[in-house]
Amino acid sequence: QIQLQESGPGLVRPSETLSLTCTVSGGSITSSADSWGWIRQSPEKGLEWIGTIFYSGTTSYNPSLKSRVTISLDTSTNQFSLQLTSVTAADTAVYYCARRGLGLYWGQGMLVTVSS
Amino acid sequence: DIQMTQSPSTLSASIGDRVTITCRASQSISRWLAWYQQKPGKAPKLLIYKASSLESGVPSRFSGSGSGTEFTLTINSLQPDDFATYYCQEYNSYSSYSFGQGTKLEIK
């Protein structure tokens, strides 16, 4: 059974870069059957898709975040990562990594707070 | 962008009741719709994919139907464990998704 686990700082200063890593266990991120993504959840915006990366390294980003987002794969560690630049308080949310198979299968989530 | 609208936002029901939640898409998504259950402090859990296919391990009292722009999630004979928030999600595009705003199912 494939499992996902988010990791990274829980507090980020305004204007800095949010960096999170998702570690995948029980399966390979190079599987062509799956894609990998980041989703965040806040009371203000609900569930918001951030972006998707495929085994080939091809990415797709939410247009509203595209200018600030980078998602990348590290096949040597079976991880994928999120970077979100120039964060503000509006980026405070629970961040989830997820695998798209038949539907979405989620990591446990991680609260990231943007505050000075 | 495809917009997903769920109704109702809140639903009060009793143990043993049958409830239905509706999700409407702003354009046709064929049957590319999933339903999730989320409990406080937990990640969403996949219940239904491709509009009506039951995820492995999910009780058969959960069912989904619909196609195009209108979809429903039905829960038969509500159990105490079913009180949670439910979300629909479209995946008409292979690379992007949109979610409904959620339906909170409360005990009456």
Side-chain angles (χ1 to χ4, degrees), chain A residues 82-97:
Chain A
L82 168 69
Q83 286 199 317
L84 181 66
T85 62
S86 304
V87 297
T88 69
D91 294 310
T92 295
V94 176
Y95 284 76
Y96 295 99
C97 59

Side-chain angles (χ1 to χ4, degrees), chain A:
Chain A
Q1 181 180 357
I2 297 175
Q3 294 187 317
L4 293 82
Q5 177 70 59
E6 304 86 353
S7 60
L11 178 64
V12 182
R13 306 297 183 195
S15 79
E16 295 189 346
T17 296
L18 181 159
S19 296
L20 296 177
T21 297
C22 183
T23 300
V24 178
S25 58
S28 173
I29 61 170
T30 59
S31 166
S32 61
D34 299 325
S35 61
W36 311 92
W38 290 94
I39 297 154
R40 66 184 183 180
Q41 184 174 31
S42 64
E44 296 78 22
K45 293 187 178 180
L47 288 164
E48 181 180 27
W49 169 70
I50 299 170
T52 301
I53 189 163
F54 298 86
Y55 72 98
S56 61
T58 300
T59 55
S60 176
Y61 300 133
N62 187 321
S64 69
L65 299 169
K66 186 174 184 177
S67 63
R68 300 194 290 132
V69 172
T70 302
I71 296 175
S72 58
L73 283 177
D74 186 339
T75 57
S76 66
T77 57
N78 218 38
Q79 297 174 327
F80 63 102
S81 299
L82 168 69
Q83 286 199 317
L84 181 66
T85 62
S86 304
V87 297
T88 69
D91 294 310
T92 295
V94 176
Y95 284 76
Y96 295 99
C97 59
R99 174 178 70 92
R100 175 174 168 166
L102 297 172
L104 292 176
Y105 303 88
W106 307 62
Q108 67 181 30
M110 177 171 180
L111 174 62
V112 178
T113 301
V114 178
S115 175
S116 55

Side-chain angles (χ1 to χ4, degrees), chain A residues 32-37 39 41 47-49 51-52 54 60 62-63 96 100-109, chain B residues 1 32 34 36 38 41-46 48-50 55 87-89 91-101:
Chain A
S32 61
D34 299 325
S35 61
W36 311 92
I39 297 154
Q41 184 174 31
L47 288 164
E48 181 180 27
W49 169 70
T52 301
F54 298 86
S60 176
N62 187 321
Y96 295 99
R100 175 174 168 166
L102 297 172
L104 292 176
Y105 303 88
W106 307 62
Q108 67 181 30
Chain B
D1 287 6
W32 298 111
Y36 299 86
Q38 186 178 33
K42 300 293 187 181
K45 171 190 170 186
L46 178 66
I48 302 284
Y49 61 92
K50 215 177 277 186
E55 170 69 355
Y87 294 93
C88 62
Q89 174 232 338
Y91 51 110
N92 188 56
S93 161
Y94 196 69
S95 61
S96 65
Y97 324 123
S98 298
F99 296 90
Q101 78 278 19

